Amino acid sequence: MRSPAPPPPQCSYTVTPIKFGFRIDMIMNSTTGDYTITLNEEDQQSKSIYIFSQSHVIEHLKPCTEYEHSVAFIDGAGKALPCNLENKTMTSGMSEDDIKDVSCMPGYVCYQSEWDISSSLSASNNVPAKPCKTDNKTFCIKPGFDDICTNLTTTFRSDCTASFDVTKSITVGEFLNVSEITQKAPTELPAKIDTKLPPNCKDLTIDYTCQEDDKPSNPKKLSELEPFTDYSCTGQIKENNVTKKNTTAVKFRIDCDIKINPVQSATDTSIELSWITDSQKCPGLHDLEKFSYDCSCDPRSSHQRPIVPANKERSGGRCHIAGLKPFTYYTCKVQPKYDNSDIPQTATVNQKTKVGIPDDIHGLTVTVLDHNVIRVTCDYKGSFNGPVVTQRFIARLHNAGVTKELRNTTCDFSFKDLSYLTEYNVEVTAYNGEHESKPKKKDGVTTSYNDKALIGCLVNFIIIILSVALGVAVYKIYVLRRRKSRNDVMMLEQEAIYANVPRSEDHH
């Protein structure tokens, strides 16, 4: 058989608005034990439940706000038994004394109250309040950049029909966040950092001090900065000449836009460059002592670079590169420098040196052929220093003011039909169409005698001698024969006389 249900609890309560919230009191004839009271802000879903015995104070509620509430008795089984129907009660209004100006978050205007002021305050900059990270009774408003050097007014709803204002002076030292300051790094000289300070601050100034990255102990003003140098600059924000804050560092490097337009001229062994230097970003660059130029001319077939310092002139420069090869293409470069370091903006031109004097001839060989032929050869390893199409060798033969000249594309000449037993002077030059090399000479080259003519003369002489000898012999034979013939006739005549004369007479 079931036991009868326990009688419902005898409980009733009162809710009295007090400062910052409610006080709940159980009436005297209520059942002794634990109770719960549930509060719910009107038209809100969230509920708050509190456990108490006979009396309880609930604080940190919203002012001028109606709350729904209900009380229940907790029986021995832990079951909540409602005491009576749900009722509604409105909290009282708050006063300016209920608000405290506190510091909770740097750079924020913060107000603390035992009231829940989360929805009771509104700022003149229309920025919503946010709870403090460390205190749920404090709400903070972030002043904007334009609020610096002004008064920020916060309006609090004090009761159901009125409100009050709390004003806070937004000072530079307390509220300016330097990370919000816009700093535009300079891109030209003289250097100037474009800084955007709070517009409502009339007495703010900023002075920048800069340091080179590798020279922190040598501070400089903006007006002293140089190009092609890495700097870090920090500004001192001053109000009425009193330093309030320092800006974040601005890092920059000003690389000047350099335009160089060289004009070039050349000789056979040198190239001269002259130019005007222009820079929009750095108009006074050319007057800086550390600014200079180097010049170089590289053959297209070589990577050697003879460096020549340039002469700075009024608005540009000039350099003379000597010791170059004639009739050779060169790529010439004007290299601007700052503090002995190369600057990326260079100027390059192509130039060909003029036709030069051919290299000297070495190894001249002179040979006498056929007694009256002179052959001239040489082994030429030099350069003509001129166009290929006009390259020639010239050989000259000198004798008694008379010169014979031959030209050939190779160094091989034959002078024929020369005089016998004659001394000649030989010289050979290399010729490129404009210039001749220094002549290579050989003096005292003598032709031989005419052996053929000599042999002919000898033969003729021998023939003549033989002819004379033969004639003499024939003559002698003739003479002898004549003499013999005469002798024979005389003997015959004598014999005939002797034959016709009487012997006595003959004897006589």
Side-chain angles (χ1 to χ4, degrees), residues 247-489:
T247 67
T248 57
V250 182
K251 296 182 180 295
F252 60 91
R253 173 188 174 96
I254 299 175
D255 290 330
C256 304
D257 57 330
I258 300 176
K259 295 180 181 179
I260 298 174
N261 298 311
V263 176
Q264 68 269 29
S265 61
T267 67
D268 59 334
T269 58
S270 67
I271 293 175
E272 184 162 303
L273 304 175
S274 61
W275 60 89
I276 300 296
T277 302
D278 182 46
S279 176
Q280 297 295 324
K281 292 183 178 180
C282 308
L285 174 65
H286 199 268
D287 298 327
L288 298 178
E289 183 179 351
K290 294 181 180 179
F291 182 68
S292 62
Y293 308 91
D294 278 344
C295 297
S296 62
C297 287
D298 297 340
R300 291 183 177 180
S301 61
S302 172
H303 296 288
Q304 297 178 354
R305 180 181 296 176
I307 303 298
V308 177
N311 294 323
K312 286 177 63 176
E313 297 183 347
R314 185 176 61 86
S315 58
R318 182 182 300 272
C319 60
H320 183 82
I321 301 101
L324 304 181
K325 294 182 178 180
F327 204 68
T328 303
Y329 277 105
Y330 285 89
T331 298
C332 296
K333 177 180 177 182
V334 177
Q335 174 64 68
K337 301 168 72 71
Y338 195 81
D339 199 14
N340 295 321
S341 297
D342 289 351
I343 297 170
Q345 296 92 334
T346 60
T348 303
V349 294
N350 294 318
Q351 177 66 49
K352 189 176 185 180
T353 50
K354 292 185 177 181
V355 175
I357 297 175
D359 293 342
D360 291 347
I361 293 175
H362 300 282
L364 182 65
T365 301
V366 179
T367 306
V368 178
L369 303 176
D370 296 334
H371 303 281
N372 68 337
V373 176
I374 295 178
R375 185 185 181 191
V376 179
T377 61
C378 64
D379 184 15
Y380 191 61
K381 300 184 182 301
S383 174
F384 280 89
N385 298 324
V388 175
V389 295
T390 58
Q391 293 177 3
R392 298 289 187 275
F393 292 96
I394 301 176
R396 294 182 176 91
L397 209 62
H398 303 287
N399 170 257
V402 178
T403 300
K404 293 186 176 183
E405 180 179 294
L406 296 178
R407 299 190 178 205
N408 199 3
T409 55
T410 60
C411 191
D412 192 342
F413 305 90
S414 291
F415 290 92
K416 300 179 180 180
D417 299 326
L418 303 178
S419 300
Y420 293 97
L421 291 175
T422 302
E423 184 177 285
Y424 292 93
N425 296 327
V426 179
E427 68 176 29
V428 179
T429 61
Y431 177 66
N432 58 22
E434 292 187 26
H435 304 288
E436 289 188 45
S437 68
K438 180 180 178 181
K440 181 67 176 177
K441 297 181 179 181
K442 189 167 185 179
D443 296 334
V445 180
T446 304
T447 56
S448 301
Y449 56 84
N450 191 339
D451 57 341
K452 293 181 180 179
L454 180 60
I455 292 172
C457 290
L458 290 175
V459 170
N460 291 332
F461 183 69
I462 292 171
I463 292 173
I464 293 172
I465 291 176
L466 291 175
S467 299
V468 171
L470 181 60
V472 171
V474 172
Y475 177 74
K476 287 183 177 182
I477 293 172
Y478 172 76
V479 171
L480 289 174
R481 286 182 178 177
R482 286 285 303 268
R483 287 179 180 178
K484 184 178 179 182
S485 176
R486 283 184 179 179
N487 291 335
D488 288 342
V489 172

Side-chain angles (χ1 to χ4, degrees), residues 203-207 236-244:
D203 298 321
L204 285 189
T205 58
I206 185 166
D207 290 333
Q236 289 184 322
I237 301 174
K238 297 181 179 181
E239 187 174 29
N240 295 321
N241 293 325
V242 177
T243 300
K244 296 295 182 178

Side-chain angles (χ1 to χ4, degrees), residues 54-74:
Q54 294 298 315
S55 181
H56 188 68
V57 173
I58 301 174
E59 294 182 326
H60 200 58
L61 300 181
K62 294 180 179 179
C64 290
T65 303
E66 188 174 61
Y67 286 89
E68 297 174 347
H69 48 81
S70 62
V71 176
F73 175 75
I74 301 175

